[in-house]
Amino acid sequence: MHPIKSCRGTALQEARYTPEGLENDRKWCIIEADTHAIITAREVSKMVLITPRVEIDTTSPYGGRLVISFPEDSGCETFAIPLNPTADMLADWPIIEDCKMFGKVLVDGYVVSSALPSSPPTRTPSEVLSAYFGRPVHLVMKGPRARPCPPTLAFPDLRERAAFQDGYPFLVASEESLEEVRRVVSAFAQDESPDAKIGGIDRERWREGGVEIERFRPNIVLKGSGVPFAEDMWRRIRVHPAQGADDGASSSGDEEARTFTLVSKCTRCLLPNVDPAAGTRDAAVPYKVLLKFRRNKDPARMSKPCFGCNAVVGGEGVVRVGDRVEVLEWASGIGV
């Protein structure tokens, strides 16, 4: 789960979800103060070193807080903001109607104008983040206007919504697919023949193929298919709660609330090249390696490499580590 878009994520044992995604996932983003463009680690790789941490507190009027910390050498102090601001608080926060994603998608959001009280008093969230970025920026929480997901070739009439995710509320990937990426990265790092040449690859660093799942920023990771990229062919899957667990579905027996539809493959950009531990971008891995064997997989963008699949869900519930996944429907042709 990634509370702030493009910042560090957190592995969870369980999470509530709605049709807009995991609870608190990409609920916040950082924007340019002047243009309102949403900033990502594609442009500012050190964003991945900002660590947001959700702290639930049922006794708080805000339901808890989001604690945001920075690298020790950044000169930026840790601050906390309300997880769920009250109506009175939101009335004092400016709302921006035209947050821009990919230069065209308009999303609304509240400028987080005050941090929770602390000692000693801190700067405002915008002031702290502006110091980190070296230019004026704002921390923004998703506003009330529904943001529609873009249609896909398989679902031209898609009627789902998202928060600040790139396109869709869920990104599903498998450990088997990650292992295959690692194997291929390692093979290219060790093969010095002309046919295996990849510009800029650090052969020593990638000899063992150590690509982390965090680079791809999924919010649901599965294991057990037995083969890599099995998710490419899943159209609908149902999550069954582990034995003895309450699935948290919106109504008793509501199987639709546990059914995820994979609407398209996720075509990748250069963001996975950013090292989540160092905040620096690699010249080759994994993007240039993915280009070697994961192109021509998505019918809408055949030139782009793919890893993982975008998904939507039919209701509200809880997903937990250890839940069982059933494939209800398979895709045809080259997959979802």
Side-chain angles (χ1 to χ4, degrees):
M1 186 262 291
H2 304 82
I4 304 177
K5 185 177 182 66
S6 268
C7 295
R8 182 162 285 163
T10 301
L12 303 175
Q13 290 300 301
E14 65 175 60
R16 295 199 62 82
Y17 62 81
T18 72
E20 287 194 354
L22 297 185
E23 186 175 36
N24 298 313
D25 187 41
R26 277 88 165 190
K27 182 177 176 179
W28 294 268
C29 74
I30 299 168
I31 67 169
E32 303 281 6
D34 53 355
T35 65
H36 300 167
I38 294 173
I39 308 169
T40 74
R42 286 182 281 265
E43 304 90 40
V44 184
S45 59
K46 70 175 184 176
M47 285 185 72
V48 301
L49 303 181
I50 300 172
T51 304
R53 184 177 72 255
V54 172
E55 294 184 352
I56 302 296
D57 180 1
T58 56
T59 67
S60 165
Y62 317 115
R65 60 183 193 159
L66 182 71
V67 180
I68 301 164
S69 58
F70 301 84
E72 289 185 4
D73 61 356
S74 68
C76 294
E77 68 269 23
T78 297
F79 64 88
I81 62 173
L83 206 53
N84 300 295
T86 63
D88 287 344
M89 184 174 285
L90 290 178
D92 291 332
W93 288 5
I95 189 164
I96 294 178
E97 300 285 353
D98 63 344
C99 299
K100 297 178 180 65
M101 190 178 297
F102 306 120
K104 57 183 178 179
V105 178
L106 301 183
V107 192
D108 68 338
Y110 293 99
V111 176
V112 181
S113 301
S114 55
L116 291 174
S118 62
S119 181
T122 63
R123 295 174 284 181
T124 66
S126 291
E127 289 170 341
V128 177
L129 286 164
S130 295
Y132 187 75
F133 279 76
R135 61 181 187 268
V137 302
H138 293 309
L139 178 63
V140 170
M141 187 188 80
K142 179 68 181 72
R145 190 176 71 230
R147 177 215 163 184
C149 297
T152 67
L153 285 181
F155 294 90
D157 299 318
L158 191 65
R159 295 289 185 268
E160 300 297 335
R161 59 191 188 274
F164 288 123
Q165 300 94 337
D166 274 0
Y168 304 90
F170 300 95
L171 175 58
V172 178
S174 71
E175 291 192 8
E176 287 87 351
S177 300
L178 179 67
E179 285 301 319
E180 180 66 3
V181 171
R182 288 171 172 166
R183 185 193 69 79
V184 176
V185 166
S186 176
F188 273 101
Q190 296 182 55
D191 187 346
E192 299 188 26
S193 66
D195 290 342
K197 183 178 180 180
I198 291 182
I201 191 168
D202 184 335
R203 296 187 183 278
E204 188 59 36
R205 178 182 181 187
W206 297 110
R207 185 166 294 274
E208 302 301 322
V211 178
E212 310 93 332
I213 192 66
E214 291 86 353
R215 289 174 176 265
F216 297 101
R217 306 179 75 80
N219 46 25
I220 295 180
V221 180
L222 307 177
K223 180 180 181 179
S225 66
V227 295
F229 307 111
E231 60 268 30
D232 285 4
M233 301 305 298
W234 299 339
R235 177 60 74 198
R236 290 193 307 136
I237 59 175
R238 181 167 294 153
V239 177
H240 296 275
Q243 188 173 5
D246 177 12
D247 66 1
S250 54
S251 63
S252 178
D254 188 357
E255 294 184 337
E256 194 63 24
R258 293 184 277 108
T259 300
F260 292 77
T261 300
L262 280 61
V263 297
S264 68
K265 297 185 185 72
C266 182
T267 54
R268 310 310 307 210
C269 62
L270 288 170
L271 181 55
N273 283 29
V274 176
D275 185 337
T280 56
R281 190 162 79 181
D282 192 85
V285 176
Y287 186 78
K288 288 183 179 179
V289 176
L290 290 172
L291 284 172
K292 294 290 188 179
F293 77 113
R294 289 293 295 167
R295 277 196 295 186
N296 302 315
K297 306 294 183 183
D298 181 69
R301 304 178 73 185
M302 296 292 275
S303 65
K304 287 285 189 178
C306 298
F307 183 92
C309 293
N310 298 307
V312 299
V313 72
E316 301 181 7
V318 177
V319 64
R320 296 179 175 88
V321 172
D323 285 351
R324 181 174 61 87
V325 175
E326 173 190 9
V327 180
L328 299 178
E329 181 183 342
W330 297 81
S332 59
I334 62 173
V336 300

